[in-house]
Amino acid sequence: MTGCRRVGVIGLGRMGAPIAGHLAAAGHEVLGLDPDPVAGADLPVTVRRVTEDRELAGCEVVLVVAGGTAVARILLVDGQLRPSLRDRDVLVCSTVDPEEMRRLHEAAVRDGGRLLDAPLCRGDHGARRGDLLALVGGEPAVLARCADVLSAFCSDVVHVGGPGAGQVAKLVNNMLLWSTIASVVEGLRLAEALGVQRGPLVEGLCRSSADSWVLRTWERPRELPWADEDMRLVLDAASRAGADAPVSDVVQRVIGAVRSSGVLGEGGLGSAGWALPAHPVGEEAPGG
């Protein structure tokens, strides 16, 4: 499906605002909704701000790009899909607990809606560039109808399975990301303690079997705002599934210390304050 479409974007923060801009640049008629009047202050004039969800009723596609804990409140009222979101395609681009995502799919089917879970990877950098990755769960026919909308801000779209599968994929992605960040910080801290400078070491590791996206983008500032919530979701899902997750258990404790240290706030190679706060493995890390 191609051509100009009316698309609603709920959530105009670090991800939603640039996504709305890309959609408008692609020729779509874009309506943006966010309860925070400051959010999306730099939206292009071609994006029309609305103040109530009922104003999205004329949209063919609605994207939800809000914090994961707010998604159920955005989609449902009194346990039912909001009337403004019925009989249209709704893409949940937020990171949501997979079990809750499946319940939202069931509510949408029951109440005449069409839902995809389409959490996004590559963060606000990818949102600004318009080369995000969407990991999609839901019906292939719904995805086919929304392909042109996703292509406005995604360079890659992968359909990983049925309802909730996109959130499972994002959960695993996040677990591996935070695990890698924690490992890289610890490894580079060890190297520095042993007298090896970070810059040359990172260059060498990027050409070795230790190469990773985290190392290759090491100079990029990272505030890790979602690390704690992401790891909580991982461990909750593992517990429900009866799956062992010893690495995730450690990462949940360690990643809070990494964030609190400020090591990555100004970019991994240029940041000061390299030392991590010490804490016993059996205790909760600061902010964890």
Side-chain angles (χ1 to χ4, degrees):
M1 191 172 292
T2 58
C4 175
R5 306 177 72 189
R6 180 175 288 185
V7 182
V9 179
I10 301 176
L12 299 172
R14 290 162 53 167
M15 300 286 289
I19 285 172
H22 290 304
L23 287 164
H28 299 293
E29 180 185 353
V30 184
L31 283 66
L33 172 63
D34 196 301
D36 183 357
V38 177
D42 56 350
L43 282 171
V45 295
T46 47
V47 176
R48 179 161 66 91
R49 290 290 295 256
V50 298
T51 57
E52 297 181 7
D53 70 277
R54 61 183 179 85
E55 297 178 79
L56 302 176
C59 293
E60 300 171 68
V61 181
V62 176
L63 310 180
V64 179
V65 198
T69 57
V71 170
R73 297 195 304 272
I74 290 170
L75 296 184
L76 306 180
V77 58
D78 296 328
Q80 296 185 317
L81 189 67
R82 291 182 182 273
S84 59
L85 301 178
R86 297 178 184 180
D87 194 28
R88 69 201 72 254
D89 298 324
V90 179
L91 279 62
V92 176
C93 298
S94 314
T95 301
V96 180
D97 178 88
E99 193 72 18
E100 181 176 25
M101 191 73 244
R102 293 188 182 102
R103 290 195 293 268
L104 293 172
H105 273 277
E106 291 171 1
V109 170
R110 181 195 65 211
D111 299 332
R114 300 184 296 271
L115 201 62
L116 288 179
D117 47 302
L120 303 170
C121 301
R122 300 173 185 160
D124 53 332
H125 292 271
R128 290 193 295 271
R129 292 191 305 263
D131 62 357
L132 291 165
L133 160 66
L135 299 169
V136 181
E139 294 297 326
V142 181
L143 175 57
R145 283 197 302 273
C146 299
D148 60 323
V149 171
L150 285 167
S151 69
F153 56 90
C154 291
S155 59
D156 299 281
V157 177
V158 181
H159 185 224
V160 293
Q167 297 297 345
V168 172
K170 182 65 186 297
L171 180 144
V172 173
N173 173 86
N174 292 347
M175 178 267 176
L176 295 174
L177 170 64
W178 301 130
S179 299
T180 304
I181 287 177
S183 297
V184 168
V185 167
E186 184 170 313
L188 297 187
R189 181 182 63 173
L190 172 63
E192 192 165 79
L194 295 173
V196 176
Q197 294 182 351
R198 276 175 275 161
L201 177 60
V202 168
E203 181 181 354
L205 292 175
C206 287
R207 304 180 188 184
S208 78
S209 57
D211 184 30
S212 68
W213 178 86
V214 172
L215 277 170
R216 280 179 268 116
T217 60
W218 191 246
E219 293 185 64
R220 177 180 299 175
R222 291 182 172 90
E223 298 175 3
L224 316 187
W226 305 288
D228 299 329
E229 175 65 11
D230 286 344
M231 292 310 302
R232 183 190 67 78
L233 291 175
V234 168
L235 290 171
D236 285 352
S239 177
R240 287 196 303 266
D244 290 335
V247 172
S248 296
D249 189 54
V250 173
V251 171
Q252 184 189 41
R253 296 193 292 269
V254 172
I255 200 68
V258 173
R259 186 185 61 190
S260 299
S261 72
V263 167
L264 306 178
E266 297 178 1
L269 292 178
S271 58
W274 181 241
L276 293 178
H279 62 280
V281 170
E283 296 182 7
E284 193 75 356

